[in-house]
Every structure is written in C-alpha cells, then in structure tokens.
Amino acid sequence: MHQDVEQILYTEEDLRRRIRELGAQIAADYAGRTPMLVSVLRGSYIFMADLTRAIDLDLTVDFMAVSSYGAGTVSSGQVEIKKDLSDSIEDRDLIIVEDILDSGNTLYYLMDVLRARKPASIRICTLMDKPERRVKPITADYVGFTIPDAFIVGYGLDYAEKYRNLPYVGVLKPSVYTQ
C-alpha cells in the first residue's frame, strides 16, 4: 500500500494540527449555537470523526452517501444519493463535511438538495480543496489544505476503495490508476 504512494503531502501531525485549527474556527463561528455536521460518506468519515472531537461545542452529526465517481478517478458528473439524512435539517445550522472539493459536481448538487429542506444556514468544510479542477461555482467556507491537481489518497480518501486507511495524505503513483 505505502509503495503505491509517490509523495506524502500531509503527515499525521500536519493533519492533526490543521484539524484542531478548523475545529477552533468553527467553535468560534458557531458559539452559542448547535450546528449539525453532515459527513459525506465514505471519504470524509475519518476527517469527520477528528473534526467533531476538535469542535468544543454542543453539536449533532448525520451522514449522507453521495457518489459521482464510481471506481474512476474523475467525476462522472452524475450524482446519486445512496444514503440520505436520518434527521430533519429545517431551521438547523448545517456544516457539510467533505473529504475533497474537486470538480464541485457533487457538492453543487447536494447544496441544492439541502437548501430545499430549509436549513437556517449551510456551510462547507472540506479537508482538501482542489480549485484547479472546479467546474461548478462552489467554494468551501472552511478549508484544511489547498492541493495541486494530483490524485491523492489516505486519511479516508481512496482509489477504488483502497488506501483509505493510510494515516497521511499522499499522491498516488499514476502507474497504479492508469493500468
């Protein structure tokens, strides 16, 4: 698994430090409120767990499974909700927690779906932002790291459901996904 990584972009310590900073920023922004964090599965589950512990506020969590990739490396543009929220978001302050904001197709679609459910507010927190690949007009309110246009894995991010358990974020060797 490690041998398939060309370069480590962010170490375990880099991730811990930045997530603590994001948690403190969110806690300050939502002081006196009880936000609902919504993890977009599967890639964000590790980030969501660590971010939740870094936010010193009362909060709730829920999960959605949304896909636009399948087993490929490029978004298909077709978005499908595979698991919807369990709880109502009406009049709630919502923070969508995403592993990576890439093309923007998935989050653009998801924002439309969630806005129709009348939350008090919606913000996006993404661990990784890849603005070079953006095709939809969407930006995150909280960004862990802005990354180059490379295929990354680790810390929840995968290629064909592999590499999620790497404790760091690294660039996957092109030879792995161009075979």
Side-chain angles (χ1 to χ4, degrees):
M1 187 167 56
H2 298 280
Q3 71 278 3
D4 294 341
V5 175
E6 184 173 84
Q7 168 193 6
I8 295 175
L9 288 179
Y10 303 104
T11 66
E12 289 178 77
E13 182 51 38
D14 294 333
L15 293 164
R16 266 193 301 274
R17 182 176 42 254
R18 184 64 184 126
I19 291 166
R20 279 191 307 265
E21 293 168 356
L22 288 170
Q25 184 180 359
I26 290 169
D29 291 351
Y30 286 87
R33 295 162 34 196
T34 305
M36 175 189 282
L37 276 61
V38 174
S39 174
V40 181
L41 297 172
R42 292 180 212 167
S44 69
Y45 77 101
I46 294 173
F47 175 43
M48 172 80 152
D50 289 345
L51 181 64
T52 300
R53 288 189 295 263
I55 299 171
D56 189 18
L57 284 177
D58 288 333
L59 54 79
T60 62
V61 298
D62 207 340
F63 302 88
M64 292 187 85
V66 182
S67 178
S68 69
Y69 282 83
T73 61
V74 178
S75 174
S76 67
Q78 296 293 109
V79 180
E80 175 186 3
I81 294 178
K82 296 183 173 218
K83 184 226 175 284
D84 208 339
L85 295 171
S86 300
D87 299 320
S88 171
I89 62 169
E90 189 169 348
D91 297 323
R92 297 293 312 271
D93 290 309
L94 201 63
I95 302 172
I96 300 171
V97 180
E98 182 65 287
D99 56 349
I100 186 167
L101 178 49
D102 191 340
S103 68
N105 286 327
T106 301
L107 279 179
Y108 191 80
Y109 171 82
L110 190 56
M111 292 290 283
D112 278 347
V113 168
L114 295 175
R115 274 190 205 106
R117 298 178 187 183
K118 299 180 176 48
S121 67
I122 303 179
R123 289 189 177 168
I124 297 169
C125 179
T126 188
L127 179 62
M128 302 289 161
D129 187 15
K130 196 187 293 188
E132 290 179 46
R133 306 249 322 171
R134 198 86 75 248
V135 297
K136 296 288 187 183
I138 192 163
T139 58
D141 302 281
Y142 305 99
V143 175
F145 301 95
T146 301
I147 60 170
D149 186 9
F151 196 83
I152 60 170
V153 293
Y155 197 72
L157 295 147
D158 76 299
Y159 169 66
E161 296 301 324
K162 298 177 185 171
Y163 309 101
R164 289 188 196 279
N165 56 325
L166 292 172
Y168 53 80
V169 173
V171 176
L172 190 63
K173 290 179 180 173
S175 60
V176 174
Y177 58 86
T178 57
Q179 299 176 24

